[in-house]
């Protein structure tokens, strides 16, 4: 699901040899929502088409399904993405481009977040959801509903470099009655090594009233066709970082960057600041000595308010206080822990009235030595 204007608030290593196969396999392409052909039976349609996709009908009582086949577009044929055999997840390969690499000669965290967003949207399109960028179902469009990001959590174990090939797998599932969740696993295509994981929570909002709305039964029926039959989590570990609450950063902050203004390029198709832009704003107030010696390991963002094109934003950062012994070093001192990782709390707020846009937590590790 593509991020709109943000509002409120066992990793299995597969057969990486598949990554070395020829990319442009005409039998393994992501199929977008193009030229639907309806068939009343489960037999394939007599045209060259992509996978047959099941969609819910309006007659919920009968729970009947139709089969829809979509003819692939040129973009579909060139895109390096495929649905899993059971249709419950989607994988896509990306080649790191030179302009996606930062000062460390590896991709930036913004690039990683953009790739997550891209593969999520392509997944939605590949199952026949809206191709206008909103990744909405038929019922959502009828009711003027869109998805908004409530929380994003990313762990990065190794940053890819220019020309590396990354494979990202993603899937969606229910998250209570008011939203859904999307998870990702990132792998180095050359080795099959898991280099990152991510998870996110999404809420449904009325595009006209800007109010949150529960996921209706009609919409859930459309979505659940593509949910894993059993709960599958990118972070199955107990007490993992994605579950931690982010305490509010209190004034005065140790570091700040005031007066940030959205550029035109920061706006999404709904004329609101894209969620990846917030990550860049958070990093603007990080102390330079940390940027020089450390790299970002994890980032958690809670989105609480939309940001408009004419808003002015302040970015605040402070070192996170160490409150429990689990965070201390082997000798019980906070200094020993700081030699390994550093954690920071962040707050983005409107300059005009101090209203909170989002709060964030980051963890940093020493940069690896590079040859």
């Amino acid at each position: 699901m593509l991020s709109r204007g943000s509002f409120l608030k066992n990793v299995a290593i597969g057969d990486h040899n598949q990554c070395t196969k020829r990319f442009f396999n005409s039998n393994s392409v992501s199929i977008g929502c193009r030229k639907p052909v309806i068939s009343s039976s489960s037999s394939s349609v007599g045209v060259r088409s992509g996978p047959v996709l099941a969609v819910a009908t309006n007659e919920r009582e009968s729970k009947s399904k139709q089969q829809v086949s979509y003819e692939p577009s040129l973009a579909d044929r060139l895109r390096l993405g495929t649905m899993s055999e059971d249709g419950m997840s989607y994988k896509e390969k990306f080649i790191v481009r030179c302009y996606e690499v930062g000062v460390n000669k590896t991709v930036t965290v913004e690039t990683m977040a953009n790739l997550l967003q891209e593969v999520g949207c392509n997944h939605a399109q590949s199952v026949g959801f809206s191709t206008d960028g909103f990744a909405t179902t038929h019922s959502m469009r009828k009711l003027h509903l869109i998805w908004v990001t409530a929380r994003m959590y990313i762990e990065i174990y190794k940053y890819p470099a220019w020309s590396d090939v990354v494979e990202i797998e993603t899937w969606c599932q229910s998250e209570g009655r008011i939203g859904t969740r999307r998870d990702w696993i990132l792998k180095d295509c050359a080795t099959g090594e898991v280099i990152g994981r991510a998870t996110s929570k999404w809420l449904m909002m009325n595009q006209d009233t800007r109010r949150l709305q529960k996921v209706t039964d009609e919409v859930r029926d459309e979505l659940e066709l593509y949910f894993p039959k059993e709960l599958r989590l990118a972070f199955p570990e107990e007490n993992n970082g994605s579950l931690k609450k982010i305490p509010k950063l209190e004034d005065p902050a140790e570091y700040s960057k005031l007066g940030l203004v959205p550029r035109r390029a920061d706006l999404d198709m709904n004329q609101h600041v894209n969620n990846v832009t917030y990550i860049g704003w958070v990093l603007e107030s990080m102390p330079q000595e940390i940027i020089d010696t450390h790299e970002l390991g994890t980032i958690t963002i809670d989105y609480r308010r939309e940001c408009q094109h004419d808003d002015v934003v302040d970015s605040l950062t402070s070192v996170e206080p160490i409150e429990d012994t689990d965070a201390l070093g082997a000798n019980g001192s906070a200094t020993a822990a700081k030699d390994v990782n550093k954690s920071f709390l962040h707050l983005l707020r409107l300059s005009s009235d101090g209203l909170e846009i989002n709060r964030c937590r980051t963890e940093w590790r020493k940069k690896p030595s590079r040859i």
Side-chain angles (χ1 to χ4, degrees):
M1 284 166 271
L2 179 68
S3 167
R4 310 308 316 137
S6 303
F7 185 75
L8 288 182
K9 354 212 106 144
N10 314 325
V11 179
I13 299 181
D15 181 6
H16 65 272
N17 292 329
Q18 295 296 322
C19 296
T20 61
K21 291 184 178 180
R22 185 181 181 189
F23 285 158
F24 297 99
N25 182 342
S26 61
N27 294 323
S28 301
V29 293
S30 148
I31 308 303
C33 181
R34 309 288 196 278
K35 299 180 181 179
V37 181
I38 307 293
S39 173
S40 59
S41 66
S42 60
S43 60
S44 60
V45 181
V47 294
R48 186 177 183 187
S49 61
V52 176
L53 308 174
V55 297
T57 67
N58 290 330
E59 298 177 1
R60 294 185 60 245
E61 295 80 7
S62 63
K63 298 295 183 181
S64 62
K65 295 179 182 179
Q66 292 177 318
Q67 299 298 320
V68 183
S69 180
Y70 299 102
E71 183 178 348
S73 69
L74 177 60
D76 296 327
R77 297 177 188 276
L78 296 178
R79 186 177 292 133
L80 310 180
T82 60
M83 291 293 294
S84 61
E85 291 186 5
D86 62 6
M88 299 295 105
S89 71
Y90 173 84
K91 294 181 180 180
E92 187 168 350
K93 304 178 186 71
F94 297 92
I95 303 171
V96 177
R97 298 172 173 86
C98 63
Y99 56 81
E100 297 172 324
V101 173
V103 295
N104 294 330
K105 300 181 180 180
T106 57
V107 301
T108 63
V109 66
E110 292 98 324
T111 293
M112 298 288 263
N114 275 320
L115 290 179
L116 298 180
Q117 182 171 271
E118 175 70 8
V119 73
C121 186
N122 290 345
H123 177 209
Q125 291 193 10
S126 72
V127 300
F129 292 165
S130 171
T131 59
D132 62 4
F134 291 92
T136 51
T137 69
H138 173 74
S139 298
M140 290 178 66
R141 292 192 295 278
K142 183 174 63 176
L143 298 172
H144 294 189
L145 300 174
I146 60 174
W147 293 112
V148 293
T149 319
R151 166 173 272 222
M152 175 73 73
Y153 176 77
I154 305 173
E155 285 187 2
I156 304 172
Y157 314 128
K158 178 183 177 182
Y159 283 86
W162 179 20
S163 295
D164 283 352
V165 181
V166 179
E167 181 182 75
I168 304 177
E169 180 183 12
T170 187
W171 63 95
C172 271
Q173 52 206 333
S174 179
E175 182 77 9
R177 294 294 301 173
I178 62 172
T180 61
R181 64 178 292 148
R182 177 175 287 279
D183 289 34
W184 297 265
I185 294 177
L186 301 85
K187 294 182 181 180
D188 183 330
C189 246
T191 64
E193 175 187 6
V194 174
I195 61 174
R197 293 183 289 172
T199 187
S200 59
K201 294 182 180 180
W202 300 76
L203 301 176
M204 192 171 288
M205 186 173 74
N206 186 288
Q207 191 172 7
D208 302 323
T209 66
R210 317 309 293 177
R211 293 181 179 274
L212 295 180
Q213 182 169 320
K214 289 184 178 180
V215 180
T216 65
D217 290 337
E218 186 177 10
V219 172
R220 192 173 297 278
D221 285 347
E222 292 173 309
L223 296 172
E224 285 183 345
L225 293 168
Y226 307 104
F227 288 171
K229 302 308 178 186
E230 296 181 0
L231 183 64
R232 182 189 177 195
L233 304 176
F235 298 95
E237 306 91 342
E238 291 186 11
N239 301 319
N240 65 79
S242 71
L243 304 176
K244 292 182 179 179
K245 292 184 178 181
I246 306 175
K248 184 177 180 179
L249 184 153
E250 300 294 342
D251 281 335
E254 297 177 55
Y255 310 95
S256 63
K257 184 74 171 182
L258 308 180
L260 297 170
V261 179
R263 304 172 304 160
R264 292 187 178 94
D266 295 328
L267 304 182
D268 59 23
M269 288 177 281
N270 203 31
Q271 297 299 307
H272 296 100
V273 174
N274 187 277
N275 70 345
V276 178
T277 299
Y278 296 115
I279 296 176
W281 285 349
V282 164
L283 299 182
E284 281 298 306
S285 59
M286 280 295 298
Q288 187 61 44
E289 60 267 25
I290 298 299
I291 299 294
D292 292 339
T293 59
H294 289 66
E295 66 180 12
L296 185 63
T298 70
I299 181 169
T300 314
I301 304 183
D302 284 340
Y303 298 92
R304 297 175 178 271
R305 186 178 303 277
E306 293 181 295
C307 188
Q308 309 286 342
H309 68 90
D310 55 352
D311 286 332
V312 180
V313 176
D314 293 339
S315 175
L316 308 177
T317 293
S318 289
V319 175
E320 181 177 22
I322 298 177
E323 297 180 350
D324 56 79
T325 56
D326 291 338
L328 300 179
N331 61 0
S333 69
T335 303
K338 289 183 179 181
D339 289 338
V340 181
N341 292 327
K342 294 180 180 293
S343 298
F344 292 84
L345 297 178
H346 311 269
L347 177 68
L348 294 181
R349 67 185 184 189
L350 295 177
S351 297
S352 57
D353 52 19
L355 290 177
E356 182 177 0
I357 300 172
N358 64 44
R359 62 180 65 177
C360 178
R361 181 178 185 270
T362 59
E363 294 183 10
W364 301 73
R365 57 177 176 256
K366 284 282 190 179
K367 288 182 180 179
S369 58
R370 303 190 186 280
I371 299 176

